[in-house]
Amino acid sequence: TCLSGGLDSSSIASLAGALQPAGVERFRAITAISELPENSEEAYARQVVERARLEWIAVRPGSDDFEAALDEVVQTQEVPFGGSSVAMQHFVMRAARAQGVSVLLDGQGADECWFGYERHVAVWLRERARHGLGAFAGGLRDALAQQGNLSPLKLAALAAGAWMPRAVALAMTARYPGLRGGS
């Protein structure tokens, strides 16, 4: 199974591990781990692996690996994508192939549905603002309550980012110097 450490893949990996009969090889989980600590879900994936008693295959693509694979990833996807997770998934699939694994379980969607990523907060707040100041204020309150690690300062930055996409683009190119500016 693919294991990012998020809600979807952790649930699937845990269930698969629990259903694996005793005495046979352990169920395998494959994780691509970011070299950027702020993007890494390694600690969460490790907890799942330990609790579910999985065989863990962890790949750690570096920026050079990412750059070398990017043309292939873009060609394979055939549609635009907005984040590095698609490329990270490429490294998971490559590791699966190297292990002789031809079928993988994967989970997609629950993290997004359950407000699991901070980037969704900004879009959601912008939508709330369309319904007036009261709805926006309620959205701020709800976002703080639902995102346990979201500070008021970070929330303010996300809300501002929803209204100033150019500022977000500049911040991203400063954070990731390899990005090329668009028009």
Side-chain angles (χ1 to χ4, degrees), residues 1-16:
T1 186
C2 302
L3 176 62
S4 70
L7 179 63
D8 321 21
S9 66
S10 295
S11 298
I12 291 169
S14 295
L15 288 169

Side-chain angles (χ1 to χ4, degrees), residues 63-164:
S63 54
D64 291 342
D65 300 316
F66 189 93
E67 187 175 333
L70 196 55
D71 285 341
E72 181 182 352
V73 172
V74 170
Q75 183 177 4
T76 302
Q77 289 299 304
E78 295 183 341
V79 295
F81 54 93
S84 62
S85 64
V86 171
M88 295 299 271
Q89 188 78 349
H90 170 82
F91 292 108
V92 168
M93 300 304 159
R94 184 185 283 173
R97 177 178 287 167
Q99 292 287 319
V101 175
S102 57
V103 176
L104 284 166
L105 300 176
D106 195 9
Q108 297 289 326
D111 295 321
E112 289 80 358
C113 292
W114 295 106
F115 222 19
Y117 296 109
E118 291 177 355
R119 67 182 176 268
H120 297 126
V121 174
V123 175
W124 185 71
L125 287 174
R126 185 168 183 176
E127 182 60 31
R128 300 302 305 150
R130 293 180 187 187
H131 298 286
L133 187 56
F136 182 72
L140 290 171
R141 181 195 64 237
D142 292 345
L144 281 173
Q146 292 180 28
Q147 287 278 334
N149 61 346
L150 187 60
S151 71
L153 182 60
K154 178 72 175 189
L155 179 62
L158 289 168
W163 294 102
M164 297 179 286

Side-chain angles (χ1 to χ4, degrees), residues 165-174 176-183:
R166 182 70 181 134
V168 172
L170 290 172
M172 293 303 281
T173 54
Y176 303 106
L179 291 178
R180 287 180 243 153
S183 51

